[in-house]
Short mmCIF file of all heavy atoms in Angstrom, two decimals:
data_model
loop_
_atom_site.label_atom_id
_atom_site.label_comp_id
_atom_site.label_asym_id
_atom_site.label_seq_id
_atom_site.Cartn_x
_atom_site.Cartn_y
_atom_site.Cartn_z
N GLU A 545 -15.34 2.65 -13.32
CA GLU A 545 -16.42 3.22 -14.13
C GLU A 545 -16.38 4.75 -14.13
O GLU A 545 -16.66 5.40 -15.13
CB GLU A 545 -17.78 2.83 -13.54
CG GLU A 545 -18.08 1.35 -13.51
CD GLU A 545 -18.61 0.85 -14.83
OE1 GLU A 545 -18.99 1.68 -15.65
OE2 GLU A 545 -18.61 -0.38 -15.02
N TYR A 546 -16.05 5.30 -12.97
CA TYR A 546 -16.28 6.73 -12.79
C TYR A 546 -15.12 7.62 -13.23
O TYR A 546 -15.21 8.83 -13.16
CB TYR A 546 -16.61 7.02 -11.32
CG TYR A 546 -17.91 6.39 -10.88
CD1 TYR A 546 -17.92 5.33 -9.99
CD2 TYR A 546 -19.12 6.87 -11.38
CE1 TYR A 546 -19.12 4.75 -9.59
CE2 TYR A 546 -20.32 6.29 -11.01
CZ TYR A 546 -20.32 5.23 -10.11
OH TYR A 546 -21.49 4.66 -9.73
N TRP A 547 -14.01 6.98 -13.67
CA TRP A 547 -12.84 7.77 -14.01
C TRP A 547 -13.17 8.82 -15.08
O TRP A 547 -12.61 9.90 -15.10
CB TRP A 547 -11.70 6.87 -14.51
CG TRP A 547 -11.96 6.29 -15.87
CD1 TRP A 547 -12.62 5.14 -16.15
CD2 TRP A 547 -11.61 6.89 -17.12
NE1 TRP A 547 -12.70 4.96 -17.50
CE2 TRP A 547 -12.09 6.02 -18.13
CE3 TRP A 547 -10.93 8.05 -17.50
CZ2 TRP A 547 -11.91 6.28 -19.48
CZ3 TRP A 547 -10.76 8.32 -18.84
CH2 TRP A 547 -11.25 7.44 -19.82
N LYS A 548 -14.15 8.53 -15.95
CA LYS A 548 -14.41 9.46 -17.06
C LYS A 548 -15.02 10.78 -16.59
O LYS A 548 -15.02 11.76 -17.33
CB LYS A 548 -15.26 8.83 -18.16
CG LYS A 548 -16.37 7.90 -17.73
CD LYS A 548 -17.09 7.41 -18.97
CE LYS A 548 -17.66 6.03 -18.96
NZ LYS A 548 -17.47 5.11 -17.90
N TYR A 549 -15.50 10.82 -15.36
CA TYR A 549 -16.03 12.09 -14.83
C TYR A 549 -14.97 12.87 -14.06
O TYR A 549 -15.22 13.99 -13.63
CB TYR A 549 -17.23 11.81 -13.91
CG TYR A 549 -18.30 10.97 -14.58
CD1 TYR A 549 -18.55 9.67 -14.17
CD2 TYR A 549 -19.03 11.49 -15.66
CE1 TYR A 549 -19.52 8.89 -14.80
CE2 TYR A 549 -19.98 10.72 -16.29
CZ TYR A 549 -20.22 9.42 -15.86
OH TYR A 549 -21.16 8.67 -16.50
N ALA A 550 -13.81 12.24 -13.87
CA ALA A 550 -12.83 12.81 -12.96
C ALA A 550 -12.36 14.21 -13.37
O ALA A 550 -12.24 15.11 -12.54
CB ALA A 550 -11.63 11.88 -12.82
N LEU A 551 -12.13 14.40 -14.67
CA LEU A 551 -11.59 15.68 -15.11
C LEU A 551 -12.61 16.81 -14.89
O LEU A 551 -12.25 17.90 -14.42
CB LEU A 551 -11.18 15.59 -16.59
CG LEU A 551 -10.22 16.66 -17.06
CD1 LEU A 551 -8.94 16.68 -16.26
CD2 LEU A 551 -9.88 16.44 -18.54
N SER A 552 -13.89 16.53 -15.17
CA SER A 552 -14.92 17.56 -14.93
C SER A 552 -15.05 17.84 -13.44
O SER A 552 -15.12 19.00 -13.02
CB SER A 552 -16.29 17.10 -15.45
OG SER A 552 -16.15 16.53 -16.71
N VAL A 553 -15.07 16.78 -12.66
CA VAL A 553 -15.18 16.93 -11.21
C VAL A 553 -14.00 17.75 -10.69
O VAL A 553 -14.15 18.68 -9.89
CB VAL A 553 -15.22 15.54 -10.53
CG1 VAL A 553 -15.00 15.64 -9.03
CG2 VAL A 553 -16.54 14.84 -10.83
N TYR A 554 -12.81 17.41 -11.19
CA TYR A 554 -11.60 18.12 -10.77
C TYR A 554 -11.72 19.61 -11.06
O TYR A 554 -11.40 20.46 -10.21
CB TYR A 554 -10.36 17.55 -11.48
CG TYR A 554 -9.16 18.45 -11.36
CD1 TYR A 554 -8.42 18.49 -10.19
CD2 TYR A 554 -8.80 19.31 -12.40
CE1 TYR A 554 -7.34 19.35 -10.05
CE2 TYR A 554 -7.72 20.17 -12.28
CZ TYR A 554 -6.99 20.19 -11.09
OH TYR A 554 -5.94 21.05 -10.96
N HIS A 555 -12.18 19.96 -12.27
CA HIS A 555 -12.21 21.38 -12.63
C HIS A 555 -13.28 22.15 -11.85
O HIS A 555 -13.07 23.31 -11.50
CB HIS A 555 -12.34 21.58 -14.14
CG HIS A 555 -10.99 21.52 -14.79
ND1 HIS A 555 -10.12 22.59 -14.81
CD2 HIS A 555 -10.32 20.50 -15.35
CE1 HIS A 555 -8.99 22.23 -15.39
NE2 HIS A 555 -9.08 20.97 -15.73
N ILE A 556 -14.39 21.50 -11.53
CA ILE A 556 -15.41 22.17 -10.72
C ILE A 556 -14.88 22.41 -9.30
O ILE A 556 -14.92 23.52 -8.78
CB ILE A 556 -16.72 21.35 -10.69
CG1 ILE A 556 -17.34 21.33 -12.09
CG2 ILE A 556 -17.69 21.92 -9.66
CD1 ILE A 556 -18.49 20.36 -12.26
N ILE A 557 -14.32 21.35 -8.70
CA ILE A 557 -13.85 21.48 -7.31
C ILE A 557 -12.64 22.40 -7.21
O ILE A 557 -12.59 23.30 -6.37
CB ILE A 557 -13.56 20.08 -6.71
CG1 ILE A 557 -14.89 19.33 -6.56
CG2 ILE A 557 -12.84 20.19 -5.38
CD1 ILE A 557 -14.77 17.91 -6.03
N SER A 558 -11.66 22.19 -8.11
CA SER A 558 -10.44 23.00 -7.98
C SER A 558 -10.72 24.47 -8.28
O SER A 558 -10.20 25.36 -7.59
CB SER A 558 -9.32 22.47 -8.88
OG SER A 558 -9.65 22.59 -10.24
N SER A 559 -11.57 24.76 -9.27
CA SER A 559 -11.85 26.16 -9.57
C SER A 559 -12.68 26.80 -8.47
O SER A 559 -12.48 27.97 -8.13
CB SER A 559 -12.59 26.29 -10.92
OG SER A 559 -11.81 25.74 -11.94
N SER A 560 -13.60 26.04 -7.88
CA SER A 560 -14.40 26.58 -6.77
C SER A 560 -13.49 26.94 -5.61
O SER A 560 -13.57 28.05 -5.05
CB SER A 560 -15.43 25.54 -6.29
OG SER A 560 -16.31 25.22 -7.33
N GLU A 561 -12.61 26.02 -5.25
CA GLU A 561 -11.70 26.30 -4.12
C GLU A 561 -10.76 27.45 -4.46
O GLU A 561 -10.46 28.29 -3.61
CB GLU A 561 -10.92 25.03 -3.75
CG GLU A 561 -11.82 23.96 -3.16
CD GLU A 561 -11.06 22.72 -2.67
OE1 GLU A 561 -9.83 22.81 -2.46
OE2 GLU A 561 -11.70 21.67 -2.51
N ALA A 562 -10.31 27.49 -5.72
CA ALA A 562 -9.39 28.56 -6.13
C ALA A 562 -10.08 29.92 -6.04
O ALA A 562 -9.48 30.90 -5.58
CB ALA A 562 -8.88 28.32 -7.54
N SER A 563 -11.34 29.99 -6.44
CA SER A 563 -12.01 31.30 -6.45
C SER A 563 -12.09 31.85 -5.03
O SER A 563 -12.00 33.05 -4.81
CB SER A 563 -13.41 31.19 -7.08
OG SER A 563 -14.29 30.49 -6.23
N SER A 564 -12.20 30.95 -4.07
CA SER A 564 -12.23 31.39 -2.68
C SER A 564 -10.81 31.69 -2.16
O SER A 564 -10.56 32.74 -1.56
CB SER A 564 -12.93 30.29 -1.87
OG SER A 564 -12.57 30.33 -0.54
N ASN A 565 -9.87 30.81 -2.44
CA ASN A 565 -8.48 31.02 -1.96
C ASN A 565 -7.85 32.29 -2.52
O ASN A 565 -7.04 32.94 -1.86
CB ASN A 565 -7.61 29.82 -2.36
CG ASN A 565 -7.68 28.68 -1.35
OD1 ASN A 565 -7.83 28.92 -0.15
ND2 ASN A 565 -7.59 27.46 -1.83
#
Side-chain angles (χ1 to χ4, degrees):
E545 298 277 346
Y546 295 111
W547 71 272
K548 38 179 147 355
Y549 306 112
L551 199 57
S552 315
V553 166
Y554 165 78
H555 275 279
I556 293 170
I557 292 178
S558 65
S559 301
S560 299
E561 292 185 19
S563 71
S564 157
N565 274 327

